[in-house]
Amino acid sequence: MIKKPTRRIKKLQSQLGKAKYYEEWKAIAEELDELTLRNVWKNNIASDIYNYELLSDRLQELKNYRQQQDTKSLARALREGLHHDLGNMGDIRLYQQSYYGTKTLIEDYVSVVSESLNFLAHEHIEGLTSARKLDFFKDILLSFGRPALLLSGGASLGAFHIGVVKALWEQDLLPQVINGSSSGAIVAATLGTHTDDELPSLFDPHTHTKKAWRWQGLWSGFKGQGLMDQKQLQDYIRSFVGEYTMQEAYERTGRSINISVSPVQHHQKPRLLSGYTSPYLLMWSAALASSAVPGIFPPVKLLKKDGEGRNVPYMPRLRWVDGSVVSDLPVERLMHLYDVNYTIVSQTNPHIVPFLDTRHQEEKGGLLSLPWRWTKAELKFHGKAVSDYLRRNADSEILRQVSGQAYSMMDQRYNGDVTIAPNYRLKHYAKVLSNPTPDFVEELMLQGERATWPRISMIRTHAKISQTLESCIAKLKSDVRSHRAKLSVIA
């Protein structure tokens, strides 16, 4: 009797890593939780990791107001009681105890809060106009904050991002705020210019068979024109992104796309290009600049649309390169612009992934990991010291620039609250600067999905309430516009 469950558990554990669809993965994970008795832990609300008493009280309060149809008290409870990571319910340890999900209390709380917010937004409430509701929801979102998805560089290996995006989108967890650097900028720009109805076509690996890379030769690189043909990459990006400005893209999809670019000259600073900061900038131009890997492609002069819709230079005296060089993950800037409180990072940089520890990123590792962590810290410390000295004192301008870029890369943080990364093998490194086949794209996409599925529960805990607030605000904005339009017709 004991051996049968043990054999079944081992079989399911093997199948879990081979699942091709989320529902398949979820069914296997749920059966594993049942066989390993982890459901007992999930259904027991008590734990010293989070304040289950606080969460339980808040949950019961909301349920009572809904049952009593006390809308006023329900609204007050949500306005004053909604706080991100309430009672430490987002602690990573709460999501490492089972194969799927976490404490049932946490999942019930998130569900009831979202249902209550939707109720207030959609139901007619006497004395509460859509305009007043809109102000109410904006205040809550400003206080609560929102998640952001950050897509790193990675050249052709950035196809991994598409799998991450697919997994999040299918679970209605794709954040409204998205940032991209280098290859991640191309994916972000594509998301920013395609509506939800158009996204499924991007999840077909055969959609990505167009050629982005064309070798120009070493002599071209020596002349500063890049080893690869930038016009080829430009045509590739424009075929996906179109001719939208960043503002036009937002109006089309409702997604706030941000693209990181790095400076060429030492007195420039990195910029975060977005609908807020650069509304008339052409989206494809921003993605091209962010993808201009130094030495591989020449620096890029950005383009915008003028008042007559013509493409003209934006800051014509300046040139920009790969966003990953200086600001791969501009978390602080996103916090200021969008009140971001939670970051989901898809990290594919081939020089960064081997040094990531995505499982223990939010907590210190054990004693066995101490030598490796010490080695990484020492390498980073001495590497920064050497590159800092060379960027300040080297006689060669080229060496100063390369050292400055190396320093910037080592001085960055490359993970987020959740970091999703691939498992690279030698064959992946061999294809970094090549045009991937549909089979290779499909492989990387599936890796991205599989790496994301175990994080869905934790992401939902942090992100679902924010996304419900955003959808309610969008609905109320539409109601307010419709009401004003009717009044103008009457007048």
Side-chain angles (χ1 to χ4, degrees):
M1 293 294 292
I2 297 176
K3 291 183 178 180
K4 284 185 179 180
T6 302
R7 288 199 296 268
R8 179 64 177 165
I9 288 169
K10 289 182 178 179
K11 181 180 179 180
L12 289 171
Q13 288 172 335
S14 175
Q15 292 175 346
L16 194 67
K18 299 175 183 177
K20 292 187 176 181
Y21 305 99
Y22 176 71
E23 293 305 322
E24 176 190 359
W25 180 91
K26 179 182 173 183
I28 296 170
E30 287 181 323
E31 186 175 351
L32 278 168
D33 281 337
E34 184 69 30
L35 292 174
T36 57
L37 303 181
R38 300 187 187 200
N39 282 344
V40 175
W41 176 87
K42 288 195 286 188
N43 292 326
N44 178 13
I45 68 170
S47 171
D48 59 0
I49 299 176
Y50 75 123
N51 191 336
Y52 60 90
E53 294 173 328
L54 171 63
L55 215 59
S56 180
D57 290 345
R58 288 286 174 85
L59 175 60
Q60 192 58 51
E61 181 182 44
L62 294 176
K63 286 182 175 180
N64 289 340
Y65 290 143
R66 286 292 303 277
Q67 290 174 354
Q68 298 164 7
Q69 298 183 344
D70 188 347
T71 306
K72 184 177 180 180
S73 296
L74 178 65
R76 288 179 64 87
L78 289 169
R79 179 65 184 88
E80 68 181 1
L82 270 188
H83 302 283
H84 179 250
D85 202 13
L86 180 68
N88 200 37
M89 66 179 185
D91 192 299
I92 188 175
R93 291 172 294 174
L94 291 166
Y95 303 86
Q96 294 176 332
Q97 308 299 319
S98 58
Y99 289 92
Y100 173 78
T102 183
K103 292 286 189 181
T104 304
L105 172 63
I106 295 174
E107 295 174 346
D108 288 346
Y109 174 77
V110 172
S111 177
V112 169
V113 167
S114 297
E115 290 171 3
S116 299
L117 290 170
N118 277 317
F119 170 78
L120 291 178
H122 289 80
E123 291 295 318
H124 172 73
I125 301 173
E126 190 70 30
L128 195 59
T129 64
S130 293
R132 288 184 62 188
K133 283 186 182 181
L134 180 59
D135 291 338
F136 171 81
F137 277 91
K138 283 183 175 179
D139 288 343
I140 296 180
L141 183 59
L142 182 64
S143 171
F144 190 82
R146 67 182 78 196
L149 174 64
L150 292 85
L151 309 174
S152 77
S156 292
L157 304 180
F160 177 89
H161 295 319
I162 304 172
V164 174
V165 169
K166 181 173 182 283
L168 294 174
W169 182 76
E170 288 180 341
Q171 297 306 308
D172 195 26
L173 290 174
L174 182 64
Q176 186 261 337
V177 177
I178 301 172
N179 180 84
S181 298
S182 198
S183 62
I186 300 175
V187 177
T190 304
L191 291 173
T193 54
H194 286 71
T195 65
D196 280 348
D197 289 339
E198 296 167 336
L199 283 187
S201 66
L202 299 176
F203 303 142
D204 180 357
H206 292 85
T207 302
H208 306 276
T209 56
K210 297 176 182 178
K211 307 299 182 184
W213 303 95
R214 189 173 74 82
W215 176 256
Q216 288 194 139
L218 292 175
W219 180 241
S220 177
F222 288 138
K223 291 191 297 182
Q225 297 174 357
L227 298 172
M228 296 286 182
D229 182 0
Q230 195 168 66
K231 179 63 166 57
Q232 181 90 0
L233 179 63
Q234 176 180 303
D235 292 343
Y236 172 84
I237 295 173
R238 292 175 82 167
S239 70
F240 281 104
V241 176
E243 302 299 314
Y244 298 100
T245 66
M246 305 201 87
Q247 178 175 298
E248 290 169 345
Y250 174 77
E251 291 170 352
R252 187 169 197 271
T253 68
R255 283 186 263 274
S256 297
I257 302 302
N258 303 263
I259 292 177
S260 305
V261 292
S262 300
V264 173
Q265 299 171 327
H266 70 276
H267 50 72
Q268 289 177 247
K269 292 184 178 181
R271 289 180 69 96
L272 187 64
L273 306 172
S274 70
Y276 279 140
T277 63
S278 314
Y280 313 123
L281 185 70
L282 285 160
M283 185 77 82
W284 68 259
S285 177
L288 181 67
S290 189
S291 304
V293 182
I296 306 298
F297 295 108
V300 172
K301 176 169 63 177
L302 295 169
L303 295 177
K304 66 176 183 179
K305 280 186 183 179
D306 66 10
E308 284 71 44
R310 297 170 300 192
N311 293 358
V312 298
Y314 175 71
M315 297 185 292
R317 293 181 181 273
L318 301 181
R319 302 291 186 275
W320 305 90
V321 296
D322 186 352
S324 294
V325 172
V326 176
S327 187
D328 193 44
L329 306 175
V331 174
E332 290 187 9
R333 185 71 172 133
L334 292 173
M335 288 179 175
H336 289 303
L337 282 175
Y338 302 100
D339 296 307
V340 167
N341 61 13
Y342 188 70
T343 55
I344 306 163
V345 170
S346 178
Q347 179 57 259
T348 61
N349 273 306
H351 60 289
I352 299 299
V353 169
F355 298 95
L356 284 176
D357 186 355
T358 56
R359 181 179 178 185
H360 297 290
Q361 61 189 324
E362 297 87 353
E363 58 183 351
K364 294 181 179 179
L367 290 176
L368 291 177
S369 67
L370 183 61
W372 176 234
R373 287 189 286 119
W374 178 84
T375 301
K376 287 196 294 184
E378 285 295 305
L379 288 172
K380 183 177 180 179
F381 175 79
H382 293 294
K384 285 178 63 177
V386 171
S387 58
D388 186 38
Y389 176 82
L390 291 175
R391 70 173 180 151
R392 297 175 184 274
N393 301 291
D395 294 330
S396 168
E397 177 64 26
I398 295 178
L399 183 56
R400 284 200 300 272
Q401 288 185 12
V402 171
S403 300
Q405 291 171 354
Y407 179 85
S408 297
M409 291 170 68
M410 285 184 284
D411 196 42
Q412 296 184 57
R413 178 181 174 182
Y414 288 97
N415 54 24
D417 294 303
V418 167
T419 304
I420 305 167
N423 293 314
Y424 287 147
R425 298 194 295 275
L426 188 59
K427 70 171 185 178
H428 293 101
Y429 287 93
K431 296 182 179 181
V432 170
L433 300 179
S434 64
N435 293 305
T437 64
D439 288 343
F440 190 65
V441 172
E442 184 175 22
E443 176 193 331
L444 285 172
M445 285 180 58
L446 187 56
Q447 264 208 52
E449 291 183 81
R450 286 172 174 166
T452 307
W453 293 335
R455 312 299 182 90
I456 289 294
S457 296
M458 185 162 63
I459 292 171
R460 182 177 285 112
T461 295
H462 285 279
K464 191 62 179 179
I465 293 174
S466 299
Q467 290 181 288
T468 302
L469 287 166
E470 289 171 345
S471 67
C472 290
I473 288 172
K475 186 264 181 191
L476 292 168
K477 281 182 177 179
S478 177
D479 291 348
V480 170
R481 285 194 295 267
S482 297
H483 180 68
R484 289 174 179 172
K486 290 178 182 178
L487 291 178
S488 64
V489 171
I490 295 173

